[in-house]
Amino acid sequence: MSEGDTGDDGRVDEPVVEQSPQSNPANDLQVVQGETGEDQDDDLLPVEELRGSQVINNFYGRVDADNARFGVSISASTRRSTGPVSTDEINAIVERYVGSECFDNLIELLRTNHIALAVGTDGTGKRTGAIAGLHSVLPPGGRITALAPSTSLGELTIKPGKGYLIADRLDSGTASVQQRFEIERVRDELKRNGSYLVITLNSAGSLRRHVRDLVVEWQPPDPQLLLDRYLDDAALDDPDLELVRKRVADLVFPRTIVAIAKAATGSCQAALRALDGSSKDNVREWFDDESRTLADVLSAAAVVFAHGVPLRKFEVLLQRLLDLGTSGGGEVPAQQPRPLGEKLVQRRVSWANVEGLFTVTRDLAAGSDESDRERTVVFRSDDYREHVIAELSERYGLELWAPVRTWAREIAASTPVSEVQVQVALGLALLCRDSWGEVEESFLTPWSNGTRPERATAAYLLSWMCIDDSLAPIALDLALKWVRNGRTRQKTTAAAALGSTLGIRYQLSALTWLWHLAARGGVQTKVARQSIALLFCANTAEGEDAGGLLRFVQRGLDTAIDGGRDLPALDAVINVLAARQPDSGEAAMAAVLRNQPQNVEVAGELWAEALRSGLHRGKAIDALRNTLVALGGDERARQITGRLGDAVRASLSDGEIDLLHRSLEYEFTSADGAGLTEQVTSALLAAFLITNVR
């Protein structure tokens, strides 16, 4: 079964489609011992630093609230992009879809070969077209499942009557002939099962000549037709509509055209303002000013990489960058005393100039009152940051990037890890759009094997790359390369990244390899377990069904028990059972039990295995106590507790039930059990009375 398919019982199942290597205890020991010369104690990324990625995750979830703080306009989906495509999304696409000649070719290929490769530029609507095409050829009610870009065709299992989408697939490096063989195997299986698959790529590369008969050269739809499809009645009566349609005719990207149509729902004047591209023009005009000095440009770069940092800290960072600019990025000479008669630059005044790119504002920290407002330096418009980094990349060479490189490396290595590293990571993620090779070589690769703060910054960078649909699969590919072939510290960095937004977007791939790391032993194991727990917290916080993750963990535990490697697997289970939401500190499992009753049984089975283990019983009881306290003491909480107790009891023998009843009775009725209501305690203990046993 492929990622996110629905089983016969109606539950969403998420089995592994990416096979991780079978773990061998001897090999694991060699990996850890072979990393001589590395400080093993320094290799751990504590959960407090991993939770820095939650800053990014929370930003994704509250774009409107936090855009000004981060200075970037989010234009790509940052939620999960794999698993079943919802009926609502399919209907929304099909209702207003505008096809083109290439879409007709896609339909023909699917009907004939059951597989098609849509090849074209990013942002031209390949994913939307693929979903519309699969919907057209599938029987009514046919499900469409989106798979991760790293999915191996050689190990893909096809279910009958299904549609599959692999979006933004990267070149696997496999020989073209072998890829052709895998595609032919999948095609034959698709035909036998009456299923269909669309793969979208930016370029088919050398594979093209081997699969020419399956390739669709993708082109975007007619921009004016697409605009008309999304306009409402008010816009159709607007006298400025024809001017909007004329201006839209030159646009290429469907997402931009849809945004213009939505702006026109207010008024066509609003759409025309959006078409003016004033933000981009303002930034370009600023850089075109021939009076710009190196200090001006370095200041703009500082705001890109330290956006929203408190003013007092920002000025220290900026001065350091200016000093590095003076020295060409090398060793900074000793500062000469300033003559008292020297005229000082009124920098803060210049920042407040209405014609500038950035300004000083006051940022109110969460939970603070007005007196705690901190002055910060930010861009005047949310999308200036993206345009400034593009201009810096296009216009300047070593004289700018040498000092910026040194400066960013110094920030990444600084302790303690703070929001400055988060902001540097976001700036570099934006730079990836124009200079991916530079970012990978100069920052990601050395940081991934560097000190703890550097590895945290690298993990943030991979997470931020998920703001761009074209960068997200590249980030996943690099993280998985580190897991498979990296050194110990790189595996740790990858494990941290897979526990944040990258793992949310590609959850099955992340879980597959995090579980592999969690079962191996070595310093990366603890980080992998923490990351699995963070993904669980992210599921519960966003209100998504956590059942797929819990059943994944359950299957992994069953396999580990069968293979005699249950202890590290149980450690991972404890991390999930005891997980707390980073923002509120509430037990994450409480939200699952309260809001997702269909997952009570699998939670009970996991608790049963943890309670059965003498080494894990204490932590499992603590996690259970914290969860029940978070549930509260009302009638609903009592009913949930009883169901959970029944689920735990069903997995234990009579002797184990008796032992557990006595342990829980002691723990929950002693002083340590404070916080539990008598009703909840009674409901749980009643489930373990021997008289209730089958």
Side-chain angles (χ1 to χ4, degrees), residues 619-670:
K619 292 181 179 179
I621 290 175
D622 288 342
L624 183 58
R625 179 191 296 110
N626 293 333
T627 298
L628 297 182
V629 169
L631 274 176
D634 57 14
E635 176 61 21
R636 176 164 170 73
R638 188 189 66 78
Q639 293 174 354
I640 293 172
T641 302
R643 280 191 61 196
L644 179 64
D646 290 340
V648 174
R649 187 192 65 196
S651 299
L652 301 175
S653 66
D654 289 359
E656 290 169 332
I657 293 170
D658 183 54
L659 174 63
L660 185 57
H661 181 273
R662 286 185 278 114
S663 297
L664 291 175
E665 187 175 34
Y666 172 78
E667 292 285 346
F668 287 1
T669 58
S670 67

Side-chain angles (χ1 to χ4, degrees), residues 97-114:
Y97 186 72
V98 175
S100 57
E101 184 178 348
C102 65
F103 180 71
D104 296 335
N105 295 338
L106 175 72
I107 298 296
E108 183 179 352
L109 268 179
L110 287 175
R111 286 174 175 160
T112 304
N113 294 285
H114 288 245

Side-chain angles (χ1 to χ4, degrees), residues 227-453:
L227 175 74
D228 292 343
R229 187 63 59 88
Y230 277 84
L231 290 174
D232 65 1
D233 293 337
L236 293 174
D237 294 333
D238 195 305
D240 293 318
L241 176 58
E242 283 308 310
L243 181 55
V244 173
R245 295 186 77 255
K246 183 177 180 180
R247 297 276 300 277
V248 162
D250 296 327
L251 299 181
V252 173
F253 300 120
R255 182 180 291 139
T256 303
I257 299 167
V258 172
I260 296 299
K262 290 180 179 178
T265 59
S267 74
C268 285
Q269 280 296 319
L272 290 171
R273 286 194 296 272
L275 282 163
D276 285 340
S278 56
S279 292
K280 187 174 184 179
D281 291 339
N282 289 343
V283 170
R284 182 178 292 116
E285 288 174 6
W286 189 90
F287 280 97
D288 284 341
D289 188 340
E290 295 182 357
S291 67
R292 294 288 166 228
T293 64
L294 177 59
D296 292 334
V297 177
L298 287 172
S299 297
V303 183
V304 167
F305 294 103
H307 188 276
V309 171
L311 180 60
R312 50 194 166 75
K313 184 179 293 185
F314 176 82
E315 289 183 319
V316 173
L317 294 171
L318 174 59
Q319 187 58 54
R320 176 58 180 167
L321 180 56
L322 295 176
D323 292 341
L324 288 167
T326 302
S327 68
E331 184 176 346
V332 177
Q335 294 293 321
Q336 297 297 321
R338 293 180 181 274
L340 293 180
E342 176 185 346
K343 183 177 181 180
L344 293 180
V345 177
Q346 298 180 19
R347 184 171 289 128
R348 293 183 179 178
V349 174
S350 67
W351 288 339
N353 187 325
V354 295
E355 297 179 355
L357 294 179
F358 30 87
T359 187
V360 177
T361 187
R362 288 188 179 273
D363 180 42
L364 182 62
S368 303
D369 57 33
E370 289 289 332
S371 63
D372 291 329
R373 280 188 178 270
E374 185 90 56
R375 285 197 293 176
T376 62
V377 180
V378 298
F379 284 109
R380 291 186 180 278
S381 175
D382 291 340
D383 53 357
Y384 273 13
R385 190 173 186 177
E386 299 164 82
H387 299 316
V388 169
I389 194 67
E391 295 290 340
L392 291 174
S393 176
E394 180 180 342
R395 292 173 183 257
Y396 301 104
L398 201 60
E399 69 279 2
L400 171 74
W401 290 107
V404 168
R405 187 183 300 117
T406 302
W407 180 72
R409 287 172 174 172
E410 290 178 355
I411 292 174
S414 62
T415 55
V417 174
S418 69
E419 189 178 332
V420 181
Q421 276 102 330
V422 175
Q423 293 291 347
V424 166
L426 175 51
L428 289 172
L430 296 175
L431 181 61
C432 287
R433 292 169 168 173
D434 300 300
S435 303
W436 161 244
E438 166 70 14
V439 174
E440 180 185 20
E441 180 180 347
S442 298
F443 302 103
L444 271 171
T445 298
W447 286 349
S448 68
N449 198 42
T451 63
R452 190 167 68 189

Side-chain angles (χ1 to χ4, degrees), residues 209-225:
R209 64 188 179 92
H210 293 280
V211 293
R212 186 179 294 108
D213 55 326
L214 301 177
V215 170
V216 176
E217 302 292 347
W218 198 259
Q219 298 295 327
D222 181 282
Q224 292 180 328
L225 291 177

Side-chain angles (χ1 to χ4, degrees), residues 593 599-609 611 643-644 647-649 651:
L593 298 178
N599 293 322
V600 171
E601 279 67 33
V602 64
E605 291 172 15
L606 291 173
W607 245 304
E609 293 297 342
L611 291 166
R643 280 191 61 196
L644 179 64
V648 174
R649 187 192 65 196
S651 299

